[in-house]
Short mmCIF file of all heavy atoms in Angstrom, two decimals:
data_model
loop_
_atom_site.label_atom_id
_atom_site.label_comp_id
_atom_site.label_asym_id
_atom_site.label_seq_id
_atom_site.Cartn_x
_atom_site.Cartn_y
_atom_site.Cartn_z
N SER A 1 -77.45 5.03 -54.87
CA SER A 1 -78.56 4.13 -55.30
C SER A 1 -79.71 4.90 -55.75
O SER A 1 -80.23 5.73 -55.00
CB SER A 1 -78.92 3.10 -54.27
OG SER A 1 -79.36 3.73 -53.09
N LEU A 2 -80.10 4.72 -57.09
CA LEU A 2 -81.26 5.39 -57.62
C LEU A 2 -82.34 4.28 -57.74
O LEU A 2 -82.27 3.52 -58.57
CB LEU A 2 -80.94 5.98 -58.96
CG LEU A 2 -82.15 6.64 -59.71
CD1 LEU A 2 -82.68 7.77 -58.89
CD2 LEU A 2 -81.68 7.13 -61.06
N PHE A 3 -83.35 4.46 -56.83
CA PHE A 3 -84.43 3.44 -56.83
C PHE A 3 -85.49 3.87 -57.85
O PHE A 3 -85.98 4.99 -57.89
CB PHE A 3 -85.07 3.38 -55.43
CG PHE A 3 -84.08 3.14 -54.35
CD1 PHE A 3 -83.67 4.09 -53.46
CD2 PHE A 3 -83.58 1.84 -54.19
CE1 PHE A 3 -82.75 3.89 -52.52
CE2 PHE A 3 -82.64 1.60 -53.22
CZ PHE A 3 -82.22 2.59 -52.38
N THR A 4 -85.88 2.90 -58.67
CA THR A 4 -86.99 3.14 -59.59
C THR A 4 -87.95 2.07 -59.59
O THR A 4 -87.70 0.94 -59.22
CB THR A 4 -86.40 3.19 -61.03
OG1 THR A 4 -85.68 2.05 -61.41
CG2 THR A 4 -85.40 4.44 -61.15
N SER A 5 -89.17 2.34 -60.02
CA SER A 5 -90.24 1.35 -60.14
C SER A 5 -91.23 1.78 -61.20
O SER A 5 -90.86 2.66 -61.96
CB SER A 5 -90.95 1.17 -58.78
OG SER A 5 -91.58 2.36 -58.40
N SER A 6 -92.38 1.26 -61.26
CA SER A 6 -93.36 1.77 -62.24
C SER A 6 -93.73 3.19 -61.89
O SER A 6 -93.55 3.72 -60.80
CB SER A 6 -94.63 0.87 -62.08
OG SER A 6 -95.31 1.10 -60.87
N THR A 7 -94.29 3.87 -62.89
CA THR A 7 -94.59 5.31 -62.82
C THR A 7 -95.56 5.54 -61.59
O THR A 7 -95.40 6.48 -60.89
CB THR A 7 -95.29 5.78 -64.03
OG1 THR A 7 -94.39 5.58 -65.19
CG2 THR A 7 -95.61 7.27 -63.97
N ALA A 8 -96.49 4.68 -61.41
CA ALA A 8 -97.45 4.82 -60.27
C ALA A 8 -96.79 4.65 -58.95
O ALA A 8 -97.28 5.20 -57.93
CB ALA A 8 -98.54 3.75 -60.41
N GLN A 9 -95.61 4.04 -58.87
CA GLN A 9 -94.96 3.72 -57.55
C GLN A 9 -93.90 4.76 -57.27
O GLN A 9 -93.42 4.77 -56.18
CB GLN A 9 -94.36 2.36 -57.55
CG GLN A 9 -95.39 1.24 -57.57
CD GLN A 9 -94.76 -0.12 -57.60
OE1 GLN A 9 -93.76 -0.32 -58.33
NE2 GLN A 9 -95.23 -1.03 -56.73
N VAL A 10 -93.49 5.50 -58.17
CA VAL A 10 -92.34 6.49 -57.98
C VAL A 10 -92.76 7.61 -57.15
O VAL A 10 -93.70 8.32 -57.41
CB VAL A 10 -91.80 6.92 -59.31
CG1 VAL A 10 -90.66 7.98 -59.13
CG2 VAL A 10 -91.16 5.72 -60.11
N ALA A 11 -91.99 7.84 -56.15
CA ALA A 11 -92.25 8.96 -55.21
C ALA A 11 -91.27 10.07 -55.60
O ALA A 11 -90.10 9.93 -55.34
CB ALA A 11 -92.05 8.58 -53.74
N LEU A 12 -91.81 11.22 -56.17
CA LEU A 12 -90.85 12.27 -56.65
C LEU A 12 -90.68 13.27 -55.54
O LEU A 12 -91.06 14.37 -55.55
CB LEU A 12 -91.53 12.93 -57.81
CG LEU A 12 -91.65 12.03 -59.04
CD1 LEU A 12 -92.47 12.74 -60.16
CD2 LEU A 12 -90.29 11.66 -59.57
N PHE A 13 -90.02 12.72 -54.47
CA PHE A 13 -89.66 13.60 -53.34
C PHE A 13 -88.11 13.75 -53.32
O PHE A 13 -87.41 12.96 -53.89
CB PHE A 13 -90.15 12.96 -51.99
CG PHE A 13 -91.55 13.23 -51.77
CD1 PHE A 13 -92.54 12.44 -52.39
CD2 PHE A 13 -92.02 14.25 -51.03
CE1 PHE A 13 -93.90 12.62 -52.19
CE2 PHE A 13 -93.41 14.46 -50.77
CZ PHE A 13 -94.34 13.60 -51.41
N ALA A 14 -87.70 14.70 -52.51
CA ALA A 14 -86.26 14.99 -52.51
C ALA A 14 -85.53 13.93 -51.71
O ALA A 14 -85.86 13.71 -50.54
CB ALA A 14 -86.05 16.31 -51.85
N LEU A 15 -84.64 13.28 -52.28
CA LEU A 15 -83.66 12.43 -51.60
C LEU A 15 -82.36 13.21 -51.64
O LEU A 15 -81.78 13.29 -52.69
CB LEU A 15 -83.47 11.08 -52.28
CG LEU A 15 -84.05 9.89 -51.58
CD1 LEU A 15 -83.64 8.60 -52.26
CD2 LEU A 15 -83.74 9.85 -50.12
N VAL A 16 -81.96 13.75 -50.56
CA VAL A 16 -80.89 14.69 -50.56
C VAL A 16 -79.64 14.06 -49.99
O VAL A 16 -79.61 13.57 -48.90
CB VAL A 16 -81.24 15.95 -49.71
CG1 VAL A 16 -80.11 17.01 -49.83
CG2 VAL A 16 -82.54 16.51 -50.18
N SER A 17 -78.51 14.21 -50.71
CA SER A 17 -77.30 13.77 -50.24
C SER A 17 -76.64 14.80 -49.35
O SER A 17 -77.14 15.89 -49.32
CB SER A 17 -76.30 13.42 -51.35
OG SER A 17 -75.86 14.61 -51.98
N LEU A 18 -75.66 14.42 -48.59
CA LEU A 18 -75.08 15.37 -47.66
C LEU A 18 -74.45 16.58 -48.24
O LEU A 18 -73.87 16.53 -49.30
CB LEU A 18 -74.05 14.68 -46.73
CG LEU A 18 -72.60 14.46 -47.26
CD1 LEU A 18 -71.70 14.23 -46.09
CD2 LEU A 18 -72.60 13.34 -48.24
N MET A 19 -74.60 17.70 -47.48
CA MET A 19 -73.75 18.84 -47.78
C MET A 19 -72.56 18.65 -46.77
O MET A 19 -72.71 19.04 -45.67
CB MET A 19 -74.48 20.14 -47.52
CG MET A 19 -75.64 20.31 -48.53
SD MET A 19 -76.32 21.98 -48.29
CE MET A 19 -76.79 21.86 -46.60
N LEU A 20 -71.55 18.12 -47.27
CA LEU A 20 -70.43 17.69 -46.40
C LEU A 20 -69.96 18.95 -45.62
O LEU A 20 -69.70 19.95 -46.13
CB LEU A 20 -69.35 17.07 -47.21
CG LEU A 20 -69.71 15.73 -47.78
CD1 LEU A 20 -68.61 15.21 -48.67
CD2 LEU A 20 -70.06 14.67 -46.77
N LEU A 21 -69.72 18.66 -44.35
CA LEU A 21 -69.33 19.77 -43.45
C LEU A 21 -67.89 20.20 -43.60
O LEU A 21 -67.01 19.39 -43.71
CB LEU A 21 -69.43 19.21 -42.02
CG LEU A 21 -70.81 19.02 -41.44
CD1 LEU A 21 -70.70 18.40 -40.04
CD2 LEU A 21 -71.58 20.28 -41.36
N PRO A 22 -67.60 21.52 -43.54
CA PRO A 22 -66.30 21.91 -43.29
C PRO A 22 -65.97 21.74 -41.80
O PRO A 22 -66.94 21.76 -41.03
CB PRO A 22 -66.26 23.41 -43.69
CG PRO A 22 -67.64 23.77 -43.51
CD PRO A 22 -68.55 22.53 -43.72
N GLY A 23 -64.72 21.58 -41.47
CA GLY A 23 -64.47 21.39 -40.04
C GLY A 23 -63.29 22.21 -39.62
O GLY A 23 -62.38 22.41 -40.43
N CYS A 24 -63.22 22.69 -38.37
CA CYS A 24 -62.08 23.37 -37.87
C CYS A 24 -62.15 23.24 -36.41
O CYS A 24 -63.22 22.90 -35.79
CB CYS A 24 -61.96 24.80 -38.33
SG CYS A 24 -63.32 25.81 -37.80
N SER A 25 -61.14 23.54 -35.69
CA SER A 25 -61.15 23.55 -34.23
C SER A 25 -60.39 24.81 -33.82
O SER A 25 -59.78 25.52 -34.64
CB SER A 25 -60.45 22.30 -33.69
OG SER A 25 -59.12 22.23 -34.09
N SER A 26 -60.37 25.09 -32.54
CA SER A 26 -59.65 26.25 -32.03
C SER A 26 -58.18 26.17 -32.36
O SER A 26 -57.53 27.21 -32.60
CB SER A 26 -59.86 26.41 -30.53
OG SER A 26 -59.40 25.19 -29.89
N SER A 27 -57.62 25.03 -32.35
CA SER A 27 -56.23 24.82 -32.74
C SER A 27 -56.16 23.63 -33.68
O SER A 27 -55.78 22.51 -33.30
CB SER A 27 -55.36 24.51 -31.48
OG SER A 27 -55.37 25.60 -30.56
N PRO A 28 -56.53 23.78 -34.90
CA PRO A 28 -56.71 22.67 -35.79
C PRO A 28 -55.41 22.10 -36.15
O PRO A 28 -54.37 22.71 -36.43
CB PRO A 28 -57.33 23.31 -37.08
CG PRO A 28 -56.93 24.76 -37.03
CD PRO A 28 -56.86 25.09 -35.60
N SER A 29 -55.37 20.75 -36.19
CA SER A 29 -54.23 19.94 -36.61
C SER A 29 -54.19 19.98 -38.09
O SER A 29 -55.25 20.34 -38.83
CB SER A 29 -54.32 18.56 -36.11
OG SER A 29 -55.40 17.87 -36.62
N SER A 30 -53.19 19.41 -38.70
CA SER A 30 -53.11 19.35 -40.17
C SER A 30 -54.20 18.42 -40.67
O SER A 30 -54.80 18.62 -41.75
CB SER A 30 -51.78 18.85 -40.67
OG SER A 30 -51.47 17.54 -40.13
N THR A 31 -54.52 17.35 -39.85
CA THR A 31 -55.59 16.46 -40.27
C THR A 31 -56.98 17.22 -40.30
O THR A 31 -57.72 17.02 -41.16
CB THR A 31 -55.66 15.33 -39.24
OG1 THR A 31 -54.45 14.56 -39.31
CG2 THR A 31 -56.85 14.31 -39.63
N ASP A 32 -57.18 18.03 -39.31
CA ASP A 32 -58.46 18.73 -39.28
C ASP A 32 -58.51 19.83 -40.36
O ASP A 32 -59.62 20.04 -40.93
CB ASP A 32 -58.55 19.45 -37.85
CG ASP A 32 -58.79 18.48 -36.76
OD1 ASP A 32 -59.16 17.28 -37.07
OD2 ASP A 32 -58.70 18.84 -35.55
N VAL A 33 -57.41 20.41 -40.70
CA VAL A 33 -57.42 21.36 -41.82
C VAL A 33 -57.77 20.61 -43.10
O VAL A 33 -58.52 21.16 -43.93
CB VAL A 33 -56.04 22.03 -41.95
CG1 VAL A 33 -55.97 22.86 -43.23
CG2 VAL A 33 -55.85 22.99 -40.72
N ASN A 34 -57.16 19.40 -43.28
CA ASN A 34 -57.50 18.64 -44.41
C ASN A 34 -59.00 18.24 -44.46
O ASN A 34 -59.63 18.24 -45.54
CB ASN A 34 -56.64 17.38 -44.54
CG ASN A 34 -55.23 17.72 -44.81
OD1 ASN A 34 -54.91 18.77 -45.38
ND2 ASN A 34 -54.25 16.83 -44.42
N LYS A 35 -59.49 17.98 -43.26
CA LYS A 35 -60.88 17.62 -43.21
C LYS A 35 -61.76 18.77 -43.52
O LYS A 35 -62.80 18.63 -44.22
CB LYS A 35 -61.15 17.14 -41.73
CG LYS A 35 -62.58 16.51 -41.57
CD LYS A 35 -62.80 15.94 -40.23
CE LYS A 35 -61.89 14.82 -39.92
NZ LYS A 35 -62.18 14.22 -38.60
N GLN A 36 -61.38 19.94 -43.09
CA GLN A 36 -62.13 21.17 -43.48
C GLN A 36 -62.15 21.33 -44.92
O GLN A 36 -63.19 21.60 -45.55
CB GLN A 36 -61.46 22.39 -42.79
CG GLN A 36 -62.14 23.68 -43.18
CD GLN A 36 -61.50 24.88 -42.58
OE1 GLN A 36 -60.59 24.75 -41.74
NE2 GLN A 36 -61.97 26.06 -42.94
N THR A 37 -61.03 21.19 -45.58
CA THR A 37 -61.01 21.39 -47.00
C THR A 37 -61.85 20.29 -47.77
O THR A 37 -62.59 20.65 -48.71
CB THR A 37 -59.53 21.25 -47.53
OG1 THR A 37 -58.74 22.23 -46.88
CG2 THR A 37 -59.48 21.47 -49.05
N ALA A 38 -61.75 19.10 -47.28
CA ALA A 38 -62.41 18.00 -48.00
C ALA A 38 -63.95 18.06 -47.70
O ALA A 38 -64.69 17.47 -48.47
CB ALA A 38 -61.87 16.67 -47.60
#
């Protein structure tokens, strides 16, 4: 969602989306490996 309003109301600050995590475990399952990749 990109919120906009009048120029006077717009706050030009960083709205940052996630840097999605890679994941792994000591003995990763195939699901966890897929999660790591995704």
Side-chain angles (χ1 to χ4, degrees):
S1 57
L2 175 61
F3 303 105
T4 58
S5 62
S6 67
T7 302
Q9 289 180 318
V10 173
L12 295 173
F13 282 81
L15 252 189
V16 184
S17 73
L18 78 164
M19 296 188 298
L20 293 174
L21 290 174
C24 63
S25 63
S26 57
S27 300
S29 66
S30 59
T31 299
D32 290 346
V33 171
N34 290 337
K35 189 176 297 185
Q36 175 179 356
T37 301

